[in-house]
Amino acid sequence: CTLTVPVLMEKQLNLKFVHNRKNNLSKAGKALVQLRIHYLGQKKTEYKSTGIYIKPNQWDNIKQEVNSKCPGQERYLHNQLLEKIKADFNSLELQANYKNEKITPDKLKAGVKSSGPTVASFYQEWIETNKTFKPNTLKNQELFDILAV
């Protein structure tokens, strides 16, 4: 009995979160956090929105996360979502490596669409499992659900 172990390819993606890439703040003083995807060996870089908008002083560029200047529950939610996004992309890269396939923007896009939740569904699931919110937070979530449809 022999066990065949696939030969894994080298790392294909370099993932990094970037805040306020375009140096453009909203009227509320917030900017978008995006995921920078650099395809190693292909000289190609893409940016994907995370749907998270925060103030510049709420971003820790070294740790790649929302820092303690962001209110508690919001900070926790944002960082959980960032971890999930990065994990989803790492999982797609691992699957491609396991199949000994080169990852391309089209394959990545197709994999992301079929694998992960939307920002709205992530927050909805989190709220349903952590019902420790004040009434105004839940009211704001209902508004978010209406806008997400």
Side-chain angles (χ1 to χ4, degrees):
C1 177
T2 58
L3 177 63
T4 306
V5 178
V7 177
L8 297 179
M9 297 176 69
E10 293 183 16
K11 187 154 180 62
Q12 298 186 59
L13 298 175
N14 183 355
L15 304 172
K16 181 180 180 180
F17 290 109
V18 180
H19 178 256
N20 198 14
R21 175 174 70 100
K22 296 182 179 181
N23 290 323
N24 189 15
L25 297 178
S26 69
K27 289 181 182 178
K30 296 182 177 186
L32 180 64
V33 176
Q34 294 177 299
L35 178 65
R36 183 190 69 152
I37 306 163
H38 177 70
Y39 296 85
L40 301 172
Q42 297 182 42
K43 296 183 180 180
K44 175 150 180 67
T45 301
E46 288 185 317
Y47 292 87
K48 301 289 182 193
S49 173
T50 63
I52 296 173
Y53 288 84
I54 57 172
K55 295 179 180 178
N57 70 340
Q58 295 175 331
W59 180 247
D60 186 328
N61 198 40
I62 294 169
K63 292 182 179 178
Q64 296 286 287
E65 65 181 27
V66 178
N67 67 27
S68 60
K69 293 179 183 169
C70 186
Q73 293 286 7
E74 188 177 343
R75 173 184 178 214
Y76 178 78
L77 284 171
H78 289 332
N79 285 330
Q80 288 294 311
L81 182 58
L82 292 174
E83 285 179 27
K84 171 133 183 46
I85 289 169
K86 201 167 200 178
D88 287 346
F89 279 91
N90 284 328
S91 176
L92 292 170
E93 180 184 22
L94 183 62
Q95 289 172 23
N97 283 344
Y98 187 78
K99 295 176 185 175
N100 206 25
E101 296 176 349
K102 188 168 188 165
I103 200 157
T104 64
D106 290 336
K107 285 182 185 177
L108 199 61
K109 193 177 293 184
V112 170
K113 284 184 180 179
S114 67
S115 70
T118 63
V119 173
S121 66
F122 174 85
Y123 281 117
Q124 184 62 40
E125 181 181 331
W126 195 89
I127 283 175
E128 288 172 6
T129 58
N130 298 286
K131 297 190 183 251
T132 59
F133 292 102
K134 296 178 183 175
N136 280 344
T137 302
L138 293 174
K139 191 183 301 180
N140 290 342
Q141 175 59 30
E142 290 169 8
L143 176 63
F144 182 77
D145 289 342
I146 292 167
L147 295 174
V149 174

